[in-house]
Amino acid sequence: MLEAADRAVHLTRDLLLFSRKQPVHKKRIDLGEVIRKLQKFLTRVIGDDIAFKTRLPEGEIPVLANAHQIEQVLMNLATNARDAMPNGGFLNGCGRTSTY
């Protein structure tokens, strides 16, 4: 129930950001950490017929951004890649996709 409430909060923020009624709050985040935390979820989203692998450098990848928006972008990219490979394939976290 708490997760659903948290998702509702983020959805409301996204809608307000989209309508330009709420400012974007950027802060210094580690992009690698955001990706590592989201990896398991992305693997479930794309399904079993698509192999998913990321290659991140050692150490921090500092960026000035909103972590939730970065997560949304990564989820959109993963679902778009999944939809582009209906027969399965390989999604490389370095930006390359290929199909079987």
Side-chain angles (χ1 to χ4, degrees), residues 5-41:
D6 190 46
R7 280 193 298 262
V9 167
H10 287 297
L11 178 60
T12 302
R13 284 186 190 147
D14 288 346
L15 291 171
L16 289 171
L17 283 170
F18 183 73
S19 67
R20 304 284 187 227
K21 298 204 185 288
Q22 183 179 14
V24 177
H25 298 289
K26 297 177 188 176
K27 64 179 185 177
R28 186 177 189 270
I29 61 170
D30 179 5
L31 184 59
E33 184 63 25
V34 172
I35 293 169
R36 284 182 198 94
K37 286 180 180 178
L38 199 58
Q39 232 172 338
K40 191 174 184 179
F41 179 74

Side-chain angles (χ1 to χ4, degrees), residues 85-100:
M85 296 184 280
N87 299 320
F90 181 78
L91 176 59
N92 184 333
C94 295
R96 297 182 184 158
T97 61
S98 61
T99 56
Y100 296 141

Side-chain angles (χ1 to χ4, degrees), residues 69-81:
Q69 286 183 323
I70 296 294
E71 291 171 357
Q72 289 296 120
V73 167
L74 293 172
M75 286 191 288
N76 287 341
L77 289 171
T79 55
N80 287 346

Side-chain angles (χ1 to χ4, degrees), residues 58-69:
E58 293 293 324
E60 189 178 28
I61 308 169
V63 295
L64 185 63
N66 178 294
H68 177 69
Q69 286 183 323

